[in-house]
Amino acid sequence: MTAIPNITLNDGTAIPQLGFGVFQVKPEETRNATLAALETGYRHIDTAEMYGNEKQVGEAIRESGIKRDDIFVTSKLNNGFHARGDALRAFDQTLEDLGFEYLDLFLIHWPLPEVGDYVDTWKAMEEIASSGRVRSIGVSNFQPHHLNRVLDETNTVPSVNQIEVHPYLTQDDVRAFNEHHNIATEAWSPIAQGKVLDDDVLKDIAGRHGKSTAQVTLRWHIQRGDIVFPKSVTRSRVEENFNIFDFELAEGDMEAISGLNRDERTGADPDTFNYIP
């Protein structure tokens, strides 16, 4: 089985650099998709309260027969639960839905700058961490100015910042800020929801390596140091996305892919997104 490299977070926790995401995977499809990923060799699953499929992720992990300690699982606080008491209850519900005694990583899903004070929410996350029921805490979709407040006003540096990253949105400034503060960058929407797959630059590089454009894009993420978790409900693509460790992109290839940046998002802008479901 392919050995997935680990990244050591700022709290000493090791996280597999390649994982499997279940964003936009329907609950009724999540169990089988997660099982396929685990059977392929993935040992890192990324879910969220907002996705509505935590229960199925837990079921798949138990059914896989793999020891819980051998699988890294992330979930995220839903947008309606930023108040302290709500956050504490939401975390309890996440553990209940997953059927776990502990979680590996818990994130604030969005900063929601016009809804409430995300610093207070982060203090609730610190309280959750102090309970010993989560190994690491972090944030998602935080910009440097959001993070600066967290760093200035609390005692815990987030272990990760999960942001939208792909060749059309390279996020160099946010990634540099994360690196400077020893915050790992996780990349969601790593292939821009498929938008990059027909790019001529990527197709040329893929052809020279005998790989798909998805594999080349994921390899670009890995070599940049991003933690990445592609998703698919098709087993052949789940397996394809896993097989990215038998080739390496040259420096020129890396620069060409990074040069595709358009600052083009597929998702919401964290500075204006304030949706509560």
Side-chain angles (χ1 to χ4, degrees):
M1 184 178 294
T2 301
I4 303 299
N6 286 333
I7 286 179
T8 301
L9 303 179
N10 59 25
D11 57 11
T13 300
I15 182 172
Q17 193 178 3
L18 176 67
F20 180 72
V22 295
F23 174 53
Q24 295 179 331
V25 179
K26 297 176 182 177
E28 61 269 25
E29 296 178 314
T30 298
R31 174 188 157 277
N32 287 341
T34 304
L35 270 173
L38 293 170
E39 290 166 0
T40 298
Y42 293 85
R43 293 297 182 266
H44 171 187
I45 309 295
D46 182 274
T47 183
E49 293 173 1
M50 190 183 295
Y51 304 165
N53 54 22
E54 291 173 308
K55 184 175 293 186
Q56 290 78 17
V57 166
E59 289 172 354
I61 289 172
R62 284 186 292 279
E63 189 170 337
S64 73
I66 300 167
K67 291 193 303 181
R68 168 68 186 93
D69 289 351
D70 291 337
I71 303 174
F72 192 102
V73 182
T74 299
S75 193
K76 310 174 194 76
L77 180 70
N78 208 346
N79 289 348
F81 304 135
H82 274 217
R84 174 187 173 276
D86 293 337
L88 300 181
R89 285 187 291 271
F91 179 75
D92 289 343
Q93 188 64 54
T94 278
L95 288 187
E96 182 177 333
D97 288 344
L98 286 165
F100 293 167
E101 294 183 357
Y102 72 94
L103 190 62
D104 296 284
L105 176 63
F106 196 48
L107 309 178
I108 299 177
H109 206 150
W110 289 88
L112 307 180
E114 296 179 10
V115 172
D117 190 342
Y118 50 83
V119 172
D120 288 339
T121 308
W122 183 248
K123 291 176 181 177
M125 297 287 283
E126 290 181 309
E127 193 172 340
I128 291 168
S130 70
S131 75
R133 294 179 299 154
V134 62
R135 297 169 66 197
S136 301
I137 54 174
V139 297
S140 181
N141 300 301
F142 274 49
Q143 302 278 59
H145 63 91
H146 300 135
L147 287 166
N148 270 324
R149 281 200 61 211
V150 169
L151 296 173
D152 289 344
E153 300 177 37
T154 72
N155 298 316
T156 307
V157 178
S159 60
V160 307
N161 184 17
Q162 185 179 124
I163 56 175
E164 181 179 356
V165 183
H166 47 75
Y168 291 166
L169 182 70
T170 55
Q171 294 269 43
D172 293 338
D173 290 346
V174 183
R175 292 178 70 258
F177 182 95
N178 291 344
E179 184 176 4
H180 178 73
H181 293 281
N182 198 21
I183 301 169
T185 297
E186 294 191 328
W188 65 262
S189 194
I191 58 173
Q193 297 193 15
K195 289 183 179 180
V196 303
L197 297 184
D198 290 325
D199 190 282
D200 287 339
V201 170
L202 289 167
K203 287 197 289 187
D204 175 67
I205 296 171
R208 287 190 277 107
H209 285 278
K211 292 291 184 178
S212 70
T213 50
Q215 288 172 314
V216 164
T217 303
L218 295 173
R219 183 69 202 182
W220 170 79
H221 281 285
I222 292 292
Q223 289 184 213
R224 289 177 103 212
D226 297 340
I227 300 163
V228 64
F229 30 87
K231 69 97 176 175
S232 178
V233 296
T234 304
R235 188 178 188 114
S236 61
R237 289 186 184 145
V238 171
E239 294 172 349
E240 176 185 302
N241 292 338
F242 187 79
N243 292 319
I244 58 172
F245 297 100
D246 58 351
F247 75 107
E248 187 170 341
L249 297 173
E251 183 177 348
D253 293 336
M254 293 291 293
E255 292 174 352
I257 297 171
S258 296
L260 297 173
N261 180 54
R262 306 172 181 175
D263 292 330
E264 180 181 299
R265 295 184 181 275
T266 65
D269 183 338
D271 285 325
T272 58
F273 181 75
N274 288 287
Y275 172 73
I276 294 179

mmCIF file with all atom_site columns, all heavy atoms in Angstrom, residues 231-245:
data_model
loop_
_atom_site.group_PDB
_atom_site.id
_atom_site.type_symbol
_atom_site.label_atom_id
_atom_site.label_alt_id
_atom_site.label_comp_id
_atom_site.label_asym_id
_atom_site.label_entity_id
_atom_site.label_seq_id
_atom_site.pdbx_PDB_ins_code
_atom_site.Cartn_x
_atom_site.Cartn_y
_atom_site.Cartn_z
_atom_site.occupancy
_atom_site.B_iso_or_equiv
_atom_site.pdbx_formal_charge
_atom_site.auth_seq_id
_atom_site.auth_comp_id
_atom_site.auth_asym_id
_atom_site.auth_atom_id
_atom_site.pdbx_PDB_model_num
ATOM 1   N N   . LYS A 1 231 ? -12.580 14.604 -3.349  1.00 0.00 ? 231 LYS A N   1
ATOM 2   C CA  . LYS A 1 231 ? -13.755 13.764 -3.092  1.00 0.00 ? 231 LYS A CA  1
ATOM 3   C C   . LYS A 1 231 ? -14.278 13.211 -4.410  1.00 0.00 ? 231 LYS A C   1
ATOM 4   O O   . LYS A 1 231 ? -14.156 13.831 -5.469  1.00 0.00 ? 231 LYS A O   1
ATOM 5   C CB  . LYS A 1 231 ? -14.834 14.537 -2.345  1.00 0.00 ? 231 LYS A CB  1
ATOM 6   C CG  . LYS A 1 231 ? -15.517 15.638 -3.158  1.00 0.00 ? 231 LYS A CG  1
ATOM 7   C CD  . LYS A 1 231 ? -16.835 15.204 -3.773  1.00 0.00 ? 231 LYS A CD  1
ATOM 8   C CE  . LYS A 1 231 ? -17.507 16.354 -4.484  1.00 0.00 ? 231 LYS A CE  1
ATOM 9   N NZ  . LYS A 1 231 ? -18.731 15.937 -5.205  1.00 0.00 ? 231 LYS A NZ  1
ATOM 10  N N   . SER A 1 232 ? -14.851 12.031 -4.343  1.00 0.00 ? 232 SER A N   1
ATOM 11  C CA  . SER A 1 232 ? -15.548 11.423 -5.463  1.00 0.00 ? 232 SER A CA  1
ATOM 12  C C   . SER A 1 232 ? -16.393 10.279 -4.919  1.00 0.00 ? 232 SER A C   1
ATOM 13  O O   . SER A 1 232 ? -16.040 9.679  -3.902  1.00 0.00 ? 232 SER A O   1
ATOM 14  C CB  . SER A 1 232 ? -14.571 10.891 -6.516  1.00 0.00 ? 232 SER A CB  1
ATOM 15  O OG  . SER A 1 232 ? -15.280 10.262 -7.577  1.00 0.00 ? 232 SER A OG  1
ATOM 16  N N   . VAL A 1 233 ? -17.496 9.999  -5.582  1.00 0.00 ? 233 VAL A N   1
ATOM 17  C CA  . VAL A 1 233 ? -18.286 8.829  -5.226  1.00 0.00 ? 233 VAL A CA  1
ATOM 18  C C   . VAL A 1 233 ? -18.035 7.691  -6.207  1.00 0.00 ? 233 VAL A C   1
ATOM 19  O O   . VAL A 1 233 ? -18.633 6.619  -6.097  1.00 0.00 ? 233 VAL A O   1
ATOM 20  C CB  . VAL A 1 233 ? -19.792 9.167  -5.163  1.00 0.00 ? 233 VAL A CB  1
ATOM 21  C CG1 . VAL A 1 233 ? -20.063 10.179 -4.064  1.00 0.00 ? 233 VAL A CG1 1
ATOM 22  C CG2 . VAL A 1 233 ? -20.304 9.675  -6.507  1.00 0.00 ? 233 VAL A CG2 1
ATOM 23  N N   . THR A 1 234 ? -17.147 7.905  -7.161  1.00 0.00 ? 234 THR A N   1
ATOM 24  C CA  . THR A 1 234 ? -16.793 6.896  -8.158  1.00 0.00 ? 234 THR A CA  1
ATOM 25  C C   . THR A 1 234 ? -15.501 6.215  -7.737  1.00 0.00 ? 234 THR A C   1
ATOM 26  O O   . THR A 1 234 ? -14.461 6.876  -7.593  1.00 0.00 ? 234 THR A O   1
ATOM 27  C CB  . THR A 1 234 ? -16.607 7.543  -9.545  1.00 0.00 ? 234 THR A CB  1
ATOM 28  O OG1 . THR A 1 234 ? -17.793 8.258  -9.891  1.00 0.00 ? 234 THR A OG1 1
ATOM 29  C CG2 . THR A 1 234 ? -16.310 6.487  -10.595 1.00 0.00 ? 234 THR A CG2 1
ATOM 30  N N   . ARG A 1 235 ? -15.557 4.908  -7.529  1.00 0.00 ? 235 ARG A N   1
ATOM 31  C CA  . ARG A 1 235 ? -14.393 4.212  -6.952  1.00 0.00 ? 235 ARG A CA  1
ATOM 32  C C   . ARG A 1 235 ? -13.145 4.377  -7.814  1.00 0.00 ? 235 ARG A C   1
ATOM 33  O O   . ARG A 1 235 ? -12.047 4.565  -7.285  1.00 0.00 ? 235 ARG A O   1
ATOM 34  C CB  . ARG A 1 235 ? -14.710 2.730  -6.757  1.00 0.00 ? 235 ARG A CB  1
ATOM 35  C CG  . ARG A 1 235 ? -13.596 2.036  -5.984  1.00 0.00 ? 235 ARG A CG  1
ATOM 36  C CD  . ARG A 1 235 ? -13.879 0.581  -5.718  1.00 0.00 ? 235 ARG A CD  1
ATOM 37  N NE  . ARG A 1 235 ? -12.861 0.047  -4.824  1.00 0.00 ? 235 ARG A NE  1
ATOM 38  C CZ  . ARG A 1 235 ? -13.065 -0.368 -3.599  1.00 0.00 ? 235 ARG A CZ  1
ATOM 39  N NH1 . ARG A 1 235 ? -14.282 -0.329 -3.073  1.00 0.00 ? 235 ARG A NH1 1
ATOM 40  N NH2 . ARG A 1 235 ? -12.085 -0.835 -2.855  1.00 0.00 ? 235 ARG A NH2 1
ATOM 41  N N   . SER A 1 236 ? -13.279 4.332  -9.129  1.00 0.00 ? 236 SER A N   1
ATOM 42  C CA  . SER A 1 236 ? -12.098 4.455  -9.980  1.00 0.00 ? 236 SER A CA  1
ATOM 43  C C   . SER A 1 236 ? -11.416 5.802  -9.792  1.00 0.00 ? 236 SER A C   1
ATOM 44  O O   . SER A 1 236 ? -10.183 5.900  -9.806  1.00 0.00 ? 236 SER A O   1
ATOM 45  C CB  . SER A 1 236 ? -12.479 4.266  -11.458 1.00 0.00 ? 236 SER A CB  1
ATOM 46  O OG  . SER A 1 236 ? -13.416 5.251  -11.869 1.00 0.00 ? 236 SER A OG  1
ATOM 47  N N   . ARG A 1 237 ? -12.206 6.858  -9.558  1.00 0.00 ? 237 ARG A N   1
ATOM 48  C CA  . ARG A 1 237 ? -11.604 8.175  -9.336  1.00 0.00 ? 237 ARG A CA  1
ATOM 49  C C   . ARG A 1 237 ? -11.034 8.284  -7.932  1.00 0.00 ? 237 ARG A C   1
ATOM 50  O O   . ARG A 1 237 ? -10.023 8.954  -7.718  1.00 0.00 ? 237 ARG A O   1
ATOM 51  C CB  . ARG A 1 237 ? -12.651 9.263  -9.572  1.00 0.00 ? 237 ARG A CB  1
ATOM 52  C CG  . ARG A 1 237 ? -13.013 9.408  -11.043 1.00 0.00 ? 237 ARG A CG  1
ATOM 53  C CD  . ARG A 1 237 ? -13.941 10.566 -11.281 1.00 0.00 ? 237 ARG A CD  1
ATOM 54  N NE  . ARG A 1 237 ? -14.337 10.624 -12.682 1.00 0.00 ? 237 ARG A NE  1
ATOM 55  C CZ  . ARG A 1 237 ? -15.517 11.000 -13.124 1.00 0.00 ? 237 ARG A CZ  1
ATOM 56  N NH1 . ARG A 1 237 ? -16.452 11.355 -12.242 1.00 0.00 ? 237 ARG A NH1 1
ATOM 57  N NH2 . ARG A 1 237 ? -15.794 11.045 -14.402 1.00 0.00 ? 237 ARG A NH2 1
ATOM 58  N N   . VAL A 1 238 ? -11.698 7.649  -6.973  1.00 0.00 ? 238 VAL A N   1
ATOM 59  C CA  . VAL A 1 238 ? -11.145 7.601  -5.615  1.00 0.00 ? 238 VAL A CA  1
ATOM 60  C C   . VAL A 1 238 ? -9.746  6.986  -5.656  1.00 0.00 ? 238 VAL A C   1
ATOM 61  O O   . VAL A 1 238 ? -8.803  7.488  -5.041  1.00 0.00 ? 238 VAL A O   1
ATOM 62  C CB  . VAL A 1 238 ? -12.074 6.787  -4.688  1.00 0.00 ? 238 VAL A CB  1
ATOM 63  C CG1 . VAL A 1 238 ? -11.415 6.535  -3.338  1.00 0.00 ? 238 VAL A CG1 1
ATOM 64  C CG2 . VAL A 1 238 ? -13.401 7.521  -4.496  1.00 0.00 ? 238 VAL A CG2 1
ATOM 65  N N   . GLU A 1 239 ? -9.604  5.902  -6.416  1.00 0.00 ? 239 GLU A N   1
ATOM 66  C CA  . GLU A 1 239 ? -8.316  5.223  -6.532  1.00 0.00 ? 239 GLU A CA  1
ATOM 67  C C   . GLU A 1 239 ? -7.320  6.062  -7.331  1.00 0.00 ? 239 GLU A C   1
ATOM 68  O O   . GLU A 1 239 ? -6.139  6.145  -6.966  1.00 0.00 ? 239 GLU A O   1
ATOM 69  C CB  . GLU A 1 239 ? -8.520  3.854  -7.187  1.00 0.00 ? 239 GLU A CB  1
ATOM 70  C CG  . GLU A 1 239 ? -9.331  2.894  -6.321  1.00 0.00 ? 239 GLU A CG  1
ATOM 71  C CD  . GLU A 1 239 ? -9.702  1.606  -7.037  1.00 0.00 ? 239 GLU A CD  1
ATOM 72  O OE1 . GLU A 1 239 ? -9.515  1.540  -8.283  1.00 0.00 ? 239 GLU A OE1 1
ATOM 73  O OE2 . GLU A 1 239 ? -10.185 0.675  -6.361  1.00 0.00 ? 239 GLU A OE2 1
ATOM 74  N N   . GLU A 1 240 ? -7.794  6.692  -8.403  1.00 0.00 ? 240 GLU A N   1
ATOM 75  C CA  . GLU A 1 240 ? -6.920  7.540  -9.225  1.00 0.00 ? 240 GLU A CA  1
ATOM 76  C C   . GLU A 1 240 ? -6.336  8.684  -8.398  1.00 0.00 ? 240 GLU A C   1
ATOM 77  O O   . GLU A 1 240 ? -5.138  8.970  -8.462  1.00 0.00 ? 240 GLU A O   1
ATOM 78  C CB  . GLU A 1 240 ? -7.707  8.105  -10.405 1.00 0.00 ? 240 GLU A CB  1
ATOM 79  C CG  . GLU A 1 240 ? -6.925  9.082  -11.273 1.00 0.00 ? 240 GLU A CG  1
ATOM 80  C CD  . GLU A 1 240 ? -7.800  9.692  -12.355 1.00 0.00 ? 240 GLU A CD  1
ATOM 81  O OE1 . GLU A 1 240 ? -8.371  8.925  -13.155 1.00 0.00 ? 240 GLU A OE1 1
ATOM 82  O OE2 . GLU A 1 240 ? -7.915  10.933 -12.386 1.00 0.00 ? 240 GLU A OE2 1
ATOM 83  N N   . ASN A 1 241 ? -7.173  9.320  -7.602  1.00 0.00 ? 241 ASN A N   1
ATOM 84  C CA  . ASN A 1 241 ? -6.717  10.446 -6.790  1.00 0.00 ? 241 ASN A CA  1
ATOM 85  C C   . ASN A 1 241 ? -5.697  10.034 -5.732  1.00 0.00 ? 241 ASN A C   1
ATOM 86  O O   . ASN A 1 241 ? -4.918  10.865 -5.259  1.00 0.00 ? 241 ASN A O   1
ATOM 87  C CB  . ASN A 1 241 ? -7.907  11.115 -6.100  1.00 0.00 ? 241 ASN A CB  1
ATOM 88  C CG  . ASN A 1 241 ? -8.829  11.823 -7.070  1.00 0.00 ? 241 ASN A CG  1
ATOM 89  O OD1 . ASN A 1 241 ? -8.431  12.177 -8.181  1.00 0.00 ? 241 ASN A OD1 1
ATOM 90  N ND2 . ASN A 1 241 ? -10.079 12.029 -6.657  1.00 0.00 ? 241 ASN A ND2 1
ATOM 91  N N   . PHE A 1 242 ? -5.725  8.760  -5.371  1.00 0.00 ? 242 PHE A N   1
ATOM 92  C CA  . PHE A 1 242 ? -4.801  8.232  -4.367  1.00 0.00 ? 242 PHE A CA  1
ATOM 93  C C   . PHE A 1 242 ? -3.423  7.961  -4.962  1.00 0.00 ? 242 PHE A C   1
ATOM 94  O O   . PHE A 1 242 ? -2.410  8.016  -4.245  1.00 0.00 ? 242 PHE A O   1
ATOM 95  C CB  . PHE A 1 242 ? -5.384  6.943  -3.787  1.00 0.00 ? 242 PHE A CB  1
ATOM 96  C CG  . PHE A 1 242 ? -4.632  6.372  -2.617  1.00 0.00 ? 242 PHE A CG  1
ATOM 97  C CD1 . PHE A 1 242 ? -4.793  6.904  -1.348  1.00 0.00 ? 242 PHE A CD1 1
ATOM 98  C CD2 . PHE A 1 242 ? -3.778  5.292  -2.781  1.00 0.00 ? 242 PHE A CD2 1
ATOM 99  C CE1 . PHE A 1 242 ? -4.107  6.373  -0.259  1.00 0.00 ? 242 PHE A CE1 1
ATOM 100 C CE2 . PHE A 1 242 ? -3.096  4.748  -1.700  1.00 0.00 ? 242 PHE A CE2 1
ATOM 101 C CZ  . PHE A 1 242 ? -3.268  5.289  -0.442  1.00 0.00 ? 242 PHE A CZ  1
ATOM 102 N N   . ASN A 1 243 ? -3.371  7.705  -6.259  1.00 0.00 ? 243 ASN A N   1
ATOM 103 C CA  . ASN A 1 243 ? -2.133  7.262  -6.903  1.00 0.00 ? 243 ASN A CA  1
ATOM 104 C C   . ASN A 1 243 ? -1.352  8.447  -7.464  1.00 0.00 ? 243 ASN A C   1
ATOM 105 O O   . ASN A 1 243 ? -1.224  8.628  -8.688  1.00 0.00 ? 243 ASN A O   1
ATOM 106 C CB  . ASN A 1 243 ? -2.457  6.244  -8.002  1.00 0.00 ? 243 ASN A CB  1
ATOM 107 C CG  . ASN A 1 243 ? -2.994  4.947  -7.443  1.00 0.00 ? 243 ASN A CG  1
ATOM 108 O OD1 . ASN A 1 243 ? -2.494  4.457  -6.435  1.00 0.00 ? 243 ASN A OD1 1
ATOM 109 N ND2 . ASN A 1 243 ? -4.012  4.387  -8.082  1.00 0.00 ? 243 ASN A ND2 1
ATOM 110 N N   . ILE A 1 244 ? -0.792  9.237  -6.552  1.00 0.00 ? 244 ILE A N   1
ATOM 111 C CA  . ILE A 1 244 ? -0.060  10.441 -6.962  1.00 0.00 ? 244 ILE A CA  1
ATOM 112 C C   . ILE A 1 244 ? 1.338   10.493 -6.359  1.00 0.00 ? 244 ILE A C   1
ATOM 113 O O   . ILE A 1 244 ? 1.978   11.558 -6.373  1.00 0.00 ? 244 ILE A O   1
ATOM 114 C CB  . ILE A 1 244 ? -0.853  11.713 -6.576  1.00 0.00 ? 244 ILE A CB  1
ATOM 115 C CG1 . ILE A 1 244 ? -1.118  11.759 -5.076  1.00 0.00 ? 244 ILE A CG1 1
ATOM 116 C CG2 . ILE A 1 244 ? -2.154  11.798 -7.360  1.00 0.00 ? 244 ILE A CG2 1
ATOM 117 C CD1 . ILE A 1 244 ? -1.718  13.080 -4.603  1.00 0.00 ? 244 ILE A CD1 1
ATOM 118 N N   . PHE A 1 245 ? 1.814   9.355  -5.892  1.00 0.00 ? 245 PHE A N   1
ATOM 119 C CA  . PHE A 1 245 ? 3.110   9.346  -5.212  1.00 0.00 ? 245 PHE A CA  1
ATOM 120 C C   . PHE A 1 245 ? 4.180   8.565  -5.985  1.00 0.00 ? 245 PHE A C   1
ATOM 121 O O   . PHE A 1 245 ? 5.262   8.322  -5.455  1.00 0.00 ? 245 PHE A O   1
ATOM 122 C CB  . PHE A 1 245 ? 2.959   8.790  -3.796  1.00 0.00 ? 245 PHE A CB  1
ATOM 123 C CG  . PHE A 1 245 ? 2.076   9.649  -2.934  1.00 0.00 ? 245 PHE A CG  1
ATOM 124 C CD1 . PHE A 1 245 ? 0.746   9.300  -2.727  1.00 0.00 ? 245 PHE A CD1 1
ATOM 125 C CD2 . PHE A 1 245 ? 2.549   10.826 -2.384  1.00 0.00 ? 245 PHE A CD2 1
ATOM 126 C CE1 . PHE A 1 245 ? -0.086  10.103 -1.956  1.00 0.00 ? 245 PHE A CE1 1
ATOM 127 C CE2 . PHE A 1 245 ? 1.730   11.638 -1.613  1.00 0.00 ? 245 PHE A CE2 1
ATOM 128 C CZ  . PHE A 1 245 ? 0.409   11.280 -1.401  1.00 0.00 ? 245 PHE A CZ  1
#
